[in-house]
Amino acid sequence: MGDQRPIAGRLSPLDMSGEEFRTLGYQLIDRIAAFLDSLPERKVTAAESPSEVRHALRAERKLPIEGADPALLLSQAADLLVEHSLFNGHPRFWGYITSSAAPIGALGELLAAAINPNVGAWLLSPMASEIEAQTIRWIAELLHYPVDCAGLFVSGGNMANLICLLAARQAKGGPDVRTRGIAEARLRLYCSSETHTWIQKAADISGIGTDAIRWIATDNQMRMDGNALRRQISSDLDAGDRPFLVVGTAGTVSTGAIDRLGGLAAVCREFDLWFHVDGAYGGVAAALPDAPAELGGMGEADSVAIDPHKWLYAPLEAGCALVRNPEKLRDAFAYHPPYYRFGVEAINYFDLGP
């Protein structure tokens, strides 16, 4: 089994004394602060090839048999990331919408990692669960969305949109969709031809299938054509299909177009469909005093997805799913095996997502 004795006074090879952690932490914080100060003078990217980056990493190395000195490990990792990255926080980075992370976000990540709460059940993470719930309420308020909604943070816009689609599938796909599946349901969902490719991934992952997507034409401003939507829904109903979901977009990736969300909400009420808004790109603009009027319709949605790692400058990755009726989100995900019976009337996030 090898020598299992403590190393250099540590209880285990991964352990650190408070003093060692403090020393290494100060060194790393100094390094990060110097990096942030130097960022405007750096290149946006080193523009290296994959082989050059792998060479810098010495990627051909085998798994080390022994661990590395933590000070050396942190220093080398910092060198690699600082010298061989593309900096989306650079003042001259205009490549895509992902924003720079605010420095407070980096410190928050450090604090969260130190406490390391399991935000699955309230008893395992009482304060972290309440912080998440409060932040969800604040984001809903920022978007002029009902603050008594349910929601949770996930890895990004793809996952946030997927969670909302699964809530819609449960709410509108029939009472047995979770037990018997969707093989005979003939579910249909509707979005504009400008919708982000998350919709294909979600239709695939959820078992609905990409053939169930109805790509609705857009007008001359790249917004979903409401009349074309009505015609397609009516046609599918006549064919014996089951329409269940309409996706409106608050800022398309290609052009930033905003669908007429209020009009789409009216169509959904007319046909009793779930109305979801993909606001990952531009939904947070609803908070602005001069926000486009179309964004007001986001408050009528059954669910909304946004990306705090864009306009809210959270570190990657941070997506957020909001669902108007909390029970609809719980209905889509909750199971209660013996090890999940915590007996506390509080938010248990394992009930609200995958």
Side-chain angles (χ1 to χ4, degrees):
M1 296 294 290
D3 191 345
Q4 300 296 308
R5 291 175 297 176
I7 298 175
R10 296 180 181 178
L11 297 176
S12 76
L14 292 178
D15 193 27
M16 281 188 190
S17 68
E19 184 58 36
E20 185 178 16
F21 183 86
R22 184 178 296 108
T23 299
L24 295 179
Y26 285 161
Q27 291 173 357
L28 183 60
I29 291 294
D30 286 344
R31 179 68 186 274
I32 294 171
F35 160 71
L36 293 175
D37 287 342
S38 71
L39 190 55
E41 310 307 320
R42 293 178 174 273
K43 293 181 178 180
V44 175
T45 175
E48 296 167 307
S49 68
S51 61
E52 289 173 316
V53 176
R54 292 176 193 132
H55 177 74
L57 180 61
R58 295 189 294 137
E60 74 284 353
R61 290 174 297 165
K62 300 294 185 182
L63 175 70
I65 299 300
E66 297 181 352
D69 173 77
L72 178 63
L73 185 63
L74 287 170
S75 177
Q76 289 178 340
D79 287 343
L80 289 169
L81 286 167
V82 167
E83 301 303 328
H84 305 279
S85 290
L86 179 147
F87 304 121
N88 55 31
H90 197 287
R92 294 190 301 280
F93 175 74
W94 304 313
Y96 52 88
I97 192 175
T98 301
S99 65
S100 56
I104 186 65
L107 294 175
E109 294 267 291
L110 173 62
L111 176 59
I115 305 301
N116 197 32
N118 179 346
V119 194
W122 191 93
L123 281 175
L124 304 179
S125 55
M127 182 50 72
S129 292
E130 294 299 336
I131 287 173
E132 180 157 348
Q134 183 183 57
T135 311
I136 292 291
R137 290 191 296 271
W138 284 348
I139 287 177
E141 184 177 358
L142 192 68
L143 303 180
H144 309 293
Y145 197 70
V147 295
D148 58 352
C149 67
L152 72 164
F153 290 111
V154 291
S155 58
N158 279 276
M159 184 58 70
N161 280 302
L162 170 62
I163 284 173
C164 295
L165 181 143
L166 292 172
R169 186 190 67 166
Q170 166 61 21
K172 300 296 184 181
D176 301 324
V177 69
R178 292 186 75 190
T179 53
R180 299 184 62 184
I182 49 93
E184 302 174 3
R186 298 179 64 175
L187 297 177
R188 301 292 179 259
L189 54 141
Y190 306 83
C191 61
S192 91
S193 55
E194 294 294 298
T195 302
H196 186 276
T197 191
W198 74 261
I199 191 70
Q200 292 158 302
K201 293 182 180 181
D204 180 2
I205 292 169
S206 65
I208 295 169
T210 56
D211 283 351
I213 302 172
R214 299 297 190 248
W215 300 95
I216 307 301
T218 57
D219 62 17
N220 59 7
Q221 296 187 51
M222 311 303 287
R223 303 173 300 191
M224 191 190 305
D225 184 326
N227 291 326
L229 173 63
R230 277 192 173 86
R231 289 194 298 270
Q232 184 64 63
I233 293 171
S234 297
S235 176
D236 287 336
L237 288 170
D238 290 343
D241 295 333
R242 186 169 192 158
F244 81 104
L245 169 67
V246 173
V247 176
T249 301
T252 60
V253 174
S254 295
T255 65
I258 301 170
D259 287 328
R260 294 186 180 91
L261 302 179
L264 298 182
V267 173
C268 289
R269 288 192 296 268
E270 178 182 342
F271 289 98
D272 191 26
L273 308 181
W274 184 282
F275 178 41
H276 171 66
V277 173
D278 173 10
Y281 186 108
V284 178
L288 300 174
D290 57 347
E294 291 87 347
L295 288 178
M298 195 158 52
E300 302 180 54
D302 294 292
S303 57
V304 174
I306 68 160
D307 270 356
H309 63 221
K310 293 188 173 77
W311 288 44
L312 298 182
Y313 300 95
L316 287 167
E317 295 179 301
C320 178
L322 304 175
V323 174
R324 175 182 294 273
N325 184 338
E327 290 306 311
K328 298 299 183 184
L329 189 56
R330 192 171 287 107
D331 288 347
F333 293 104
Y335 291 101
H336 288 106
Y339 48 85
Y340 275 176
R341 296 185 184 277
F342 289 98
V344 172
E345 291 300 319
I347 295 175
N348 293 307
Y349 279 103
F350 67 80
D351 277 338
L352 302 183

